[in-house]
Amino acid sequence: MATFIYGKVKRKNNIFRVIETEEDVYNTSQLNLVGVEYNPATIIENEELYKVSQFSQSGYSFDFLDNELNSVNHDQITRRDLTKLSFICTVQNNLYFFQIINSSIFISKKWFSIDELTLETEKPIITVNPFADAIYDKHSDTLYFKRLTAAQKIFKGMDQLYKEATASETDSFLQSDFLEVDSNFNNSSVSVLNRKRIALVMETLNNLSDPEKQAVYSYTSEYSQVVFEDGKFKIETDDDLKFVLWGIQQRFYTTPIGGEKRVANSIISI
């Protein structure tokens, strides 16, 4: 079955046909698409992948993935537009391999072929990375990726999977009835990482009953280094806020052997 490479040109909405080849661009026999459902609180290992299941329903997909693919419905890209590619997509069977095109991928230097030993000039080339920035499995309707920062360049809006709390949301959180915030600590004192944590815990708190909230506060007070009096955590620094946010995310635990108190750097639901 033929393999097609398509391309998205900057400032154009169309996806263009670039190359058709009978060769596989990617070695799918060694491809292990097993991912961890994306969660900002989860840090994956180098060999692991994030995934977004039911991607076509996520709001981040687009027609190229959602519709039945037919190469004749895509115009052949022009030579001029090849220098304006924002990403390419290699389609092998039901797998769509996306690669961002940047200056490091687009090579415009003098080079010679080992086979032909002829010096080439004015013939820029585009290199294909051994591993794509994002892979969509149409059969399972699942998107796989390693870095959200890369995936969101292809699928606009995906940064909302890891959004920061807005200024008003941060202010609202700091006014929560379980916090006693020092007068010198305000919205501008909150770090970017804590703003991202606030965006996560706001949803967590909204899904907890009042007794569950009290249980979380009690659990947090047992582990955190923050003063807890009269049902309120005293927040004087960004670190104080971080410990409380960790507690709401239930990141603290005690080792069964040794009884050492620890905080989990990453969370994966099992």
Side-chain angles (χ1 to χ4, degrees), residues 164-230:
E164 294 179 28
T166 64
S168 60
E169 288 171 337
T170 301
D171 279 332
S172 177
F173 183 80
L174 293 178
Q175 294 169 16
S176 298
D177 55 11
F178 62 91
L179 299 179
E180 182 180 324
V181 181
D182 188 272
S183 59
N184 293 320
F185 188 87
N186 53 43
N187 187 313
S188 62
S189 308
V190 181
S191 65
V192 170
L193 281 177
N194 275 343
R195 288 178 185 272
K196 292 177 178 179
R197 294 183 182 114
I198 287 172
L200 290 173
V201 303
M202 287 172 62
E203 182 178 355
T204 299
L205 289 173
N206 288 336
N207 292 326
L208 296 179
S209 64
D210 287 341
E212 288 173 332
K213 290 179 181 178
Q214 295 306 316
V216 167
Y217 303 153
S218 177
Y219 153 83
T220 302
S221 68
E222 293 177 12
Y223 283 92
S224 74
Q225 304 170 6
V226 183
V227 175
F228 184 64
E229 292 180 352
D230 301 325

Side-chain angles (χ1 to χ4, degrees), residues 221-224 252-255 258-263:
S221 68
E222 293 177 12
Y223 283 92
S224 74
F252 300 117
Y253 68 99
T254 302
T255 59
E260 182 181 2
K261 291 183 177 182
R262 296 179 178 176
V263 58

